[in-house]
DNA sequence: GGTCAATCATGATCGAAATCATATTGTGTC
DNA sequence: GACACAATATGATTTCGATCATGATTGACC
């Protein structure tokens, strides 16, 4: 999926888009900035953040490898959120003008971009149903089945919206039930 | 948003697509059926269902007014889920061949369809963050702020993935806190 | 006006996850 | 090899939402 998108973007005017590495905590854009880019994540994670009236940061979305974000930027003049790297992240900045032009003039691009968006919709729906599972054990199992365990237990916990403790206990219980195999400390497999 | 999509679909070969009303419980398509249509919801609600190995039904997604569903059908030969009306629903069946042709040959359609998909992504992300709020009271408040309270308390509860009792108690507490106004039995306002 | 079903609203209880705390382990650095 | 640190793993307690139950209200139907 990622390589399809790379091929897709490579067929655009590749002089104008920028591949970058941003370190953890670094901002990609600020809320209120004029919209210039769609952002595509190669590896790592970006979070979209809003600030509450009391200054607290609220994560509106986490984008991971293979996802675009700030799609709203295609239709608005200013970004509605901050965008920050949750960990060291490799990304591609895609100028909106190039994207819009390609949507108009490159039918293959438009179709493949539609395919990409449809996959994101499907993925988000799957995630929504997962997060709605009330049982921590079943939610963690669904998370592993869905291939969400790629990094640390803390990262898995963040993805399934549980505390690390609840995630750990669920993993331990699933191993005990014979539904998961423990490969080592912090590493589990369906 | 809905009327934009109606205009959009009306510019297609409207002879070929079908507007229908389905009653609650009626199936629109079965898992395994050959994919023929994209489904657009005018009013009511459709659920996508999978069957677990023990025969239990799992709701994979609920589509409401203004949403398309079965986007995966654009890319697969067979539907992966059953689709059933959760209540009396008015919908439009859009032949995939027409959609695919329009994507290729009608650039305005392709762009507007991209806009529609982007809005669904944004909406799903918002909903995902809402469902992940652990406090029932805050989740219900976010739900009302987001305009999810359009029907019964039961329907609101289903949208925010809480039980009707928890939703009711949260609403009562929010009124007591002065954060919501109660307009009548089962009717609340920010 | 009476009946009925569905929804709203509330009460009591229980279990699970969050929270707070602590011990252990693995990795990176010196 | 020693040390520091972060993550994993586990323990104890608290909180809150799910569950089960019941009464009240409302709208549709006859």
């Amino acid at each position: 999926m990622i390589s399809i998108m790379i091929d897709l973007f490579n067929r655009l005017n590749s002089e104008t888009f920028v591949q970058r590495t941003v370190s953890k905590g670094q901002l990609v854009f600020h809320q209120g900035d004029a919209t210039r880019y769609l952002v595509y994540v190669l590896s790592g994670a970006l979070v979209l953040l809003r600030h509450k009236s009391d200054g607290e940061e609220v994560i509106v979305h986490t984008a991971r490898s293979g996802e675009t974000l700030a799609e709203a930027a295609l239709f608005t003049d200013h970004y509605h959120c901050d965008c920050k790297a949750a960990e060291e992240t490799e990304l591609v900045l895609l100028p909106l003008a190039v994207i819009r032009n390609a949507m108009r003039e490159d039918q293959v691009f438009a179709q493949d971009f539609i395919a990409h968006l449809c996959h994101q919709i499907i993925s988000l729906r799957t995630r929504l149903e997962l997060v709605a599972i009330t049982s921590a054990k079943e939610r963690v199992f669904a998370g592993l089945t869905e291939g969400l365990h790629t990094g640390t237990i803390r990262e898995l916990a963040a993805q399934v919206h549980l505390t690390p403790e609840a995630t750990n206990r669920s993993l331990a219980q699933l191993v005990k039930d014979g539904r998961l195999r423990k490969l080592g400390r912090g590493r589990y497999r369906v």
Side-chain angles (χ1 to χ4, degrees), chain A residues 63-91:
Chain A
R64 296 191 170 269
S65 175
E67 290 184 59
T68 50
L69 55 65
E71 283 87 357
L74 283 165
F75 313 104
T76 58
D77 295 327
H78 295 87
Y79 291 111
H80 289 152
C81 310
D82 289 356
C83 176
K84 189 200 285 189
E87 57 193 70
E88 181 170 286
T89 295
E90 239 185 310
L91 56 81

Side-chain angles (χ1 to χ4, degrees), chain A residues 17-137:
Chain A
F17 58 67
V18 178
Q19 183 162 331
R20 271 169 63 187
T21 300
V22 286
S23 50
K24 178 173 174 170
Q26 190 179 342
L27 279 167
V28 178
F29 52 78
H30 283 89
Q31 183 172 343
D33 284 355
T35 50
R36 292 168 61 202
Y37 304 106
L38 200 64
V39 185
Y40 179 71
V41 181
L42 291 169
S43 67
L46 300 178
V47 290
L48 293 177
L49 297 169
R50 280 218 189 89
H51 296 274
K52 280 179 161 178
S53 47
D54 61 6
E56 189 187 344
E57 286 186 343
V58 178
I59 294 180
V60 168
H61 180 64
T62 302
R64 296 191 170 269
S65 175
E67 290 184 59
T68 50
L69 55 65
E71 283 87 357
L74 283 165
F75 313 104
T76 58
D77 295 327
H78 295 87
Y79 291 111
H80 289 152
C81 310
D82 289 356
C83 176
K84 189 200 285 189
E87 57 193 70
E88 181 170 286
T89 295
E90 239 185 310
L91 56 81
V92 183
L93 298 174
L94 310 163
L96 292 172
V98 174
I99 302 291
R100 291 196 188 100
N101 192 63
M103 277 160 58
R104 272 197 297 282
E105 314 214 335
D106 184 336
Q107 286 165 4
V108 174
F109 174 83
Q111 285 189 75
D112 287 346
F113 192 52
I114 286 171
H116 170 70
L117 296 175
C118 287
H119 280 103
Q120 284 202 237
I121 287 171
I122 292 160
S123 173
L124 282 165
R125 285 175 184 159
T126 303
R127 183 65 57 85
L128 186 59
E129 295 306 319
L130 184 149
V131 167
I133 296 170
T134 50
S135 158
K137 191 166 84 168

